[in-house]
Amino acid sequence: MNKPSGGRVLKFGGSSVGTPESILRVKAIVDAAPRPIIVVVSALGGVTDALIALSESARQGGDAFRQGLDELRLRHHRMIESVIVPAERADVAQQMDALIDELASILYGVSLIQDLPAKTADAIVAYGERLSSLLCAHLFEGAVHYDSRSFIKTMRKDDKHVVDFDSTTPLVRQTFTDLSHTAVLGGFIASDRDSGATTNLGRGGSDYTAAIVAAALDAEALEIWTDVDGFMTADPRVISSAYTIDELSYNEAMELCNFGAKVVYPPTIYPVCRKDIPIYVKNTFNPTAAGSIIRRDAQPSGRPIRGISSVNEMSLVTVSGPSMVGVIGVNRRIFTTMARGGISVFMVAQTSSETSTSMCVTPQDGPRACELLDAEFAREITDGAMNPALLTENMATVAAVGEGLRHTPGIAGKLFSVLGRNGINTYAMTFGALETNLSFVVDRSQLRKSLEVIHDSFFLSEHQDVNLFLCGTGTVGSSLLEQIAAQRETLLREHNLRLNLVGICGRSRSAFNRQGIDPAHYREAMENSGTGGVEEMVNRILEMNIFNSVFVDCTASEEVAACYERLLDHNVAVVAANKVAAASDYANYAHLKHIARERGVKFLFETNVGAGLPIIHTIGDLRSSGDNILRIEAVLSGTLNFVFNTLSEKVTLSQAVRQAQEMGYSEPDPRIDLSGKDVIRKLTILARESGYEVETTDIARHDFIPAPLFAGSLEAFWENLPALDADFERDRKRLAAEGKRWRFVATWENGKGSVGLREIPQGHPFYDLEGSNNIILLTTERYHEYPMLIQGYGAGAAVTAAGVFADIMRVANV
């Protein structure tokens, strides 16, 4: 059968097509690529997980899934509006809606029967690639869309979908006999060769799709476009000094992928390796980077180890006993038993005496593996000829990979000598006949140290790491993560600093990963992880015991603030947007400051007052230089300033308060702001940082809202607040006529403080304060006649997150 020769197959992952900006980068890459080309795309970043979540929601019954479905539709429509030319938008949107309507019908059916058969689950997740490939086909000029299900065929084997190459290869060749245009297809999805039902190739299967097509067409090259520069010498989230491997052999790439490197889906390599087709791993977001090349004749690296990878969670199953010595067929029985149970073994170590065989399996498979093996050898165990299978849990496997291993005498001795000198015990090891993968098993608690030791010994490079534990994923926390994600590369390049998010927790979900959590995809990590809560996080911080740890509190929780003492006492720095601790009893505040000084760690809370404004830091600098704070006069509530700046003939008090809440300026319960409690806490903190011993109860409060509105429920508050509108409008008109404006002012002077609503005349620095801005006047011994003025945004998630970020930088001394 005729088939095209040459050409390239380009695969783009979910992160590459996840946003309008990234998908336009993909377009630029595709437009610049030499023809002929075939483009394989994954679902938009996070969509596959969203589809799985929709499936589970529908299975629970009811129509709760519809909200997620609407969000999915909206996301794709927004993508159309952002990247498709106006003339084609309506047509693309119509085709998209038709697919999403199909999906809605399937989900509705699932919700009715409250059951999710595997066949239906496969059909649902396929919509991610069906939608993204349709979008991209309209994005690339002169492109033609192909449905991968018509030529990627699978069959059932051991309860899994595997590719039927006998059917697939001729269908691929038949489909792509003419490549005068750009071909676009979705990865991951396939169909059963017999029934035609939709199937898939598993998570990461888009890489595999691209490799199958490339091999069938004898392509010139396979390009995997992802969000990293290529294969790294080690996981850069663990080893900050890791760097990109310029080229590596098929064997090296396969070993690294099978042992945890997630750059390329492991089955991808086999089809193209058989045809000697090179694989280029490139970064969509850094297309000028050289990337990594995987090919048969890769140039020697000059180092015995090309890279390090690891399986972070595994169990060791050991079969032992004197009857195993010299007995033919024991290993056959072991591995036949494992295969029948559907248990994959990814490393085997056997003693030369043949008295024991150890196998690495997933933690989920470990207990079942022992049960099956004990049943298989029940008679021998009863007779005492063999021992019950031994399960050793909480282990990890490290693989040092490189073609140079076979050419370096004593490399294994050097590696294990380095581990031994650092107190790391190995439980099993294997060095295959090809001598490209030296693997060993360690206790999981020693994994990070093992990787660091090997990389330092064989690559000798390092960066400064700051390891972050973030508590709170609300508006401030999520904004902080966006800023960290956007700034990480700049910090690494310009300051040799790597911010490593190793833990994140919310009220109900949390995620922890020594290798790091991508701040751009933290929600997915939390969804696939354990329960939340600060107690869980603190325990994990202490268990992990990572150097340069910083606990970042983006909550308003008393429970979270109560953990600061324990963290500081264990040399964990604390950065808090939470005001509770700094405004708590003076004795507690002073105690926390004392522990921080004693332990030599930072306890920073700049954003407690003025969001991102450098108020607390400035007061600290003034006092450190010998100045004394004599008077503080400030507008510290962005919420209240917004409210009083928003009041007009058309906007009543109740409407202004509602706007403040909806725009995220106020606390969830705006009465905290209206009561002045929040301002009292802020003034207390400023007075304390200025050297005064003061409690919040020492601050006089002058209310402008009647007390009964604070006594009832939040719902009652909203119902009764409009009753104040008329009086406030009357007074507002009076103030306007007098050339005055309302400001809620905090004052500290002569050891006394107060907060309350004041009428500010024209000409006063507070008069022209706009929006939700804050302003503070500091009168000191040096700044006496002309007080120091600090003014700017005093509310909002972005500026508060920026202030938290600045405190993190102070911990890092950048």
Side-chain angles (χ1 to χ4, degrees):
M1 180 178 295
N2 293 330
K3 60 183 178 66
S5 60
R8 303 170 85 87
V9 178
L10 282 62
K11 179 266 175 178
F12 294 91
S15 59
S16 297
V17 294
T19 66
E21 294 78 16
S22 63
I23 205 169
L24 289 174
R25 289 177 180 268
V26 171
K27 175 175 168 54
I29 292 167
V30 171
D31 288 346
R35 268 42 180 181
I37 60 169
I38 296 174
V39 179
V40 180
V41 296
S42 298
L44 305 188
V47 165
T48 300
D49 287 336
L51 288 168
I52 293 172
L54 284 174
S55 303
E56 293 300 320
S57 177
R59 180 158 61 175
Q60 303 301 317
D63 60 357
F65 70 89
R66 294 192 183 278
Q67 180 180 349
L69 187 64
D70 289 341
E71 293 171 356
L72 186 74
R73 188 190 300 270
L74 179 60
R75 180 177 178 187
H76 284 84
H77 273 273
R78 284 176 173 169
M79 188 69 82
I80 292 170
E81 292 295 320
S82 299
V83 303
I84 301 297
V85 296
E88 297 184 25
R89 287 175 186 168
D91 180 44
V92 180
Q94 184 178 15
Q95 295 179 61
M96 287 273 197
D97 283 337
L99 287 175
I100 295 173
D101 289 343
E102 286 179 15
L103 173 61
S105 297
I106 296 173
L107 291 168
Y108 179 62
V110 171
S111 71
L112 289 178
I113 63 174
Q114 296 186 34
D115 188 29
L116 184 65
K119 179 179 177 181
T120 304
D122 287 343
I124 290 172
V125 295
Y127 279 91
E129 275 70 18
R130 293 177 67 186
L131 289 165
S132 64
S133 58
L134 175 64
L135 176 73
C136 290
H138 285 271
L139 176 68
F140 308 141
E141 185 175 350
V144 175
H145 181 240
Y146 292 85
D147 188 338
S148 300
R149 298 175 298 171
S150 65
F151 48 83
I152 304 294
K153 298 295 179 178
T154 62
M155 57 185 176
R156 298 292 291 182
K157 185 176 181 181
D158 295 331
D159 202 34
K160 294 181 179 179
H161 300 300
V162 298
V163 176
D164 176 20
F165 284 95
D166 290 339
S167 300
T168 296
T169 299
L171 285 172
V172 171
R173 292 174 177 175
Q174 178 183 337
T175 301
F176 298 106
T177 53
D178 175 18
L179 276 180
S180 58
H181 49 261
T182 299
V184 180
L185 53 121
F188 173 68
I189 57 176
S191 64
D192 185 83
R193 68 177 182 184
D194 299 318
S195 67
T198 298
T199 59
N200 63 67
L201 306 181
R203 299 303 291 264
S206 291
D207 289 359
Y208 196 21
T209 301
I212 293 166
V213 172
L217 301 178
D218 290 329
E220 174 189 333
L222 169 62
E223 298 181 8
I224 303 293
W225 289 85
T226 181
D227 56 3
V228 295
D229 286 345
F231 277 86
M232 306 291 287
T233 53
D235 188 337
R237 294 171 298 182
V238 176
I239 307 299
S240 61
S241 54
Y243 54 86
T244 305
I245 303 171
D246 52 0
E247 55 183 288
L248 59 167
S249 69
Y250 292 120
N251 283 337
E252 290 172 330
M254 200 171 298
E255 295 289 356
L256 287 170
C257 290
N258 282 325
F259 272 85
K262 301 187 184 302
V263 180
V264 175
Y265 182 51
T268 302
I269 299 171
Y270 174 71
V272 291
C273 173
R274 291 179 59 208
K275 295 294 188 75
D276 203 15
I277 298 170
I279 304 173
Y280 293 82
V281 182
K282 301 278 287 180
N283 190 344
T284 304
F285 306 93
N286 187 20
T288 59
S292 299
I293 305 173
I294 306 169
R295 59 188 180 190
R296 192 179 305 280
D297 58 346
Q299 292 295 316
S301 69
R303 301 177 185 271
I305 294 176
R306 185 86 76 169
I308 311 166
S309 61
S310 62
V311 177
N312 301 339
E313 296 184 4
M314 48 78 60
S315 294
L316 196 64
V317 175
T318 301
V319 178
S320 64
S323 73
M324 294 176 62
V325 179
V327 178
I328 297 174
V330 172
N331 279 341
R332 177 188 61 80
R333 291 173 65 187
I334 291 174
F335 293 110
T336 299
T337 298
M338 301 289 271
R340 281 200 306 263
I343 297 173
S344 176
V345 176
F346 54 86
M347 175 178 157
V348 180
Q350 184 176 35
T351 59
S352 57
S353 65
E354 301 181 18
T355 57
S356 70
T357 298
S358 296
M359 298 160 286
C360 295
V361 300
T362 66
Q364 295 77 18
D365 286 339
R368 177 165 167 75
C370 290
E371 292 176 6
L372 294 174
L373 291 167
D374 286 348
E376 173 65 25
F377 294 102
R379 182 171 57 82
E380 290 86 349
I381 293 172
T382 301
D383 293 342
M386 290 182 66
N387 303 315
L390 174 64
L391 176 64
T392 308
E393 298 182 292
N394 299 315
M395 309 300 287
T397 304
V398 178
V401 174
E403 298 278 2
L405 288 170
R406 70 165 67 100
H407 306 300
T408 308
I411 186 66
K414 178 182 178 183
L415 188 147
F416 289 109
S417 175
V418 168
L419 292 172
R421 285 200 306 270
N422 284 274
I424 299 169
N425 183 43
T426 57
Y427 292 79
M429 65 83 61
T430 182
F431 198 9
L434 293 177
E435 298 184 32
T436 58
N437 183 343
L438 177 55
S439 303
F440 55 92
V441 178
V442 297
D443 189 277
R444 193 186 304 168
S445 64
Q446 298 279 37
L447 174 60
R448 181 183 179 88
K449 191 174 183 181
S450 300
L451 295 172
E452 289 175 335
V453 163
I454 297 172
H455 200 275
D456 284 348
S457 299
F458 291 95
F459 298 104
L460 301 175
S461 56
E462 69 179 286
H463 293 102
Q464 179 189 356
D465 277 13
V466 173
N467 297 295
L468 304 178
F469 293 87
L470 174 63
C471 186
T473 57
T475 55
V476 174
S478 58
S479 183
L480 173 64
L481 289 169
E482 291 174 4
Q483 293 176 19
I484 290 174
Q487 193 67 8
R488 288 172 87 193
E489 292 302 318
T490 300
L491 290 172
L492 186 62
R493 182 177 64 253
E494 297 183 1
H495 298 285
N496 209 31
L497 172 70
R498 185 166 71 102
L499 293 182
N500 193 27
L501 180 66
V502 293
I504 185 166
C505 122
R507 288 190 181 91
S508 59
R509 289 286 181 182
S510 63
F512 300 92
N513 191 331
R514 281 180 170 271
Q515 283 65 52
I517 300 166
D518 183 351
H521 299 284
Y522 70 94
R523 295 190 189 278
E524 293 95 322
M526 293 176 74
E527 282 300 318
N528 296 321
S529 190
T531 57
V534 67
E535 186 66 25
E536 167 71 8
M537 169 164 270
V538 172
N539 289 337
R540 292 297 294 271
I541 291 172
L542 301 184
E543 289 169 8
M544 294 165 76
N545 194 27
I546 301 178
F547 68 101
N548 285 352
S549 291
V550 182
F551 177 77
V552 182
D553 180 5
C554 288
T555 75
S557 166
E558 292 186 13
E559 181 186 8
V560 176
C563 298
Y564 294 176
E565 179 180 358
R566 188 178 175 197
L567 291 165
L568 292 169
D569 206 36
H570 284 82
N571 289 81
V572 176
V574 173
V575 170
N578 186 350
K579 292 184 278 289
V580 170
S584 63
D585 292 344
Y586 182 83
N588 182 61
Y589 158 84
H591 181 58
L592 294 176
K593 299 275 283 189
H594 172 75
I595 295 175
R597 286 192 299 270
E598 188 177 63
R599 295 290 182 183
V601 296
K602 299 288 180 64
F603 172 37
L604 303 176
F605 42 88
E606 180 67 70
T607 56
N608 280 194
V609 183
L613 295 177
I615 300 172
I616 293 175
H617 187 68
T618 299
I619 289 174
D621 287 345
L622 290 170
R623 294 191 65 215
S624 296
S625 65
D627 205 350
N628 289 315
I629 311 298
L630 304 177
R631 174 183 170 86
I632 300 171
E633 188 177 22
V635 175
L636 297 174
S637 173
T639 304
L640 294 178
N641 204 51
F642 173 85
V643 167
F644 292 119
N645 277 331
T646 304
L647 288 178
S648 68
E649 288 182 342
K650 297 181 179 180
V651 181
T652 65
L653 174 69
S654 59
Q655 291 171 338
V657 174
R658 179 70 74 176
Q659 287 182 29
Q661 187 197 48
E662 291 173 348
M663 295 176 70
Y665 291 138
S666 78
E667 299 285 348
D669 184 347
R671 291 178 297 180
I672 296 175
D673 299 286
L674 296 174
S675 69
K677 290 180 181 178
D678 189 56
V679 177
I680 287 174
R681 290 190 297 178
K682 292 176 180 179
L683 182 59
T684 301
I685 293 168
L686 292 182
R688 288 174 175 178
E689 290 297 293
S690 299
Y692 298 95
E693 184 175 334
V694 58
E695 303 287 356
T696 55
T697 53
D698 297 333
I699 308 296
R701 187 179 84 185
H702 305 287
D703 292 335
F704 66 93
I705 297 288
L709 268 70
F710 298 109
S713 66
L714 182 58
E715 291 75 13
F717 165 78
W718 285 117
E719 290 177 5
N720 295 323
L721 185 60
L724 305 180
D725 290 346
D727 289 342
F728 269 85
E729 174 57 16
R730 183 182 61 253
D731 287 344
R732 185 198 66 78
K733 289 180 178 178
R734 175 183 59 80
L735 287 177
E738 296 174 359
K740 297 178 180 178
R741 290 175 178 172
W742 273 315
R743 295 289 179 255
F744 195 84
V745 179
T747 305
W748 178 267
E749 188 173 18
N750 298 323
K752 296 181 179 180
S754 66
V755 300
L757 196 60
R758 284 173 46 185
E759 298 178 2
I760 302 298
Q762 235 171 347
H764 192 284
F766 294 176
Y767 181 86
D768 290 317
L769 192 62
E770 297 180 352
S772 62
N773 285 4
N774 281 188
I775 188 170
I776 181 169
L777 294 174
L778 294 176
T779 302
T780 74
E781 290 181 348
R782 294 174 187 159
Y783 293 87
H784 194 272
E785 184 176 357
Y786 299 101
M788 178 182 289
L789 185 150
I790 303 172
Q791 179 179 345
Y793 289 121
V799 292
T800 302
V804 173
F805 203 160
D807 272 351
I808 293 172
M809 292 300 96
R810 291 187 183 101
V811 173
N813 294 316
V814 172

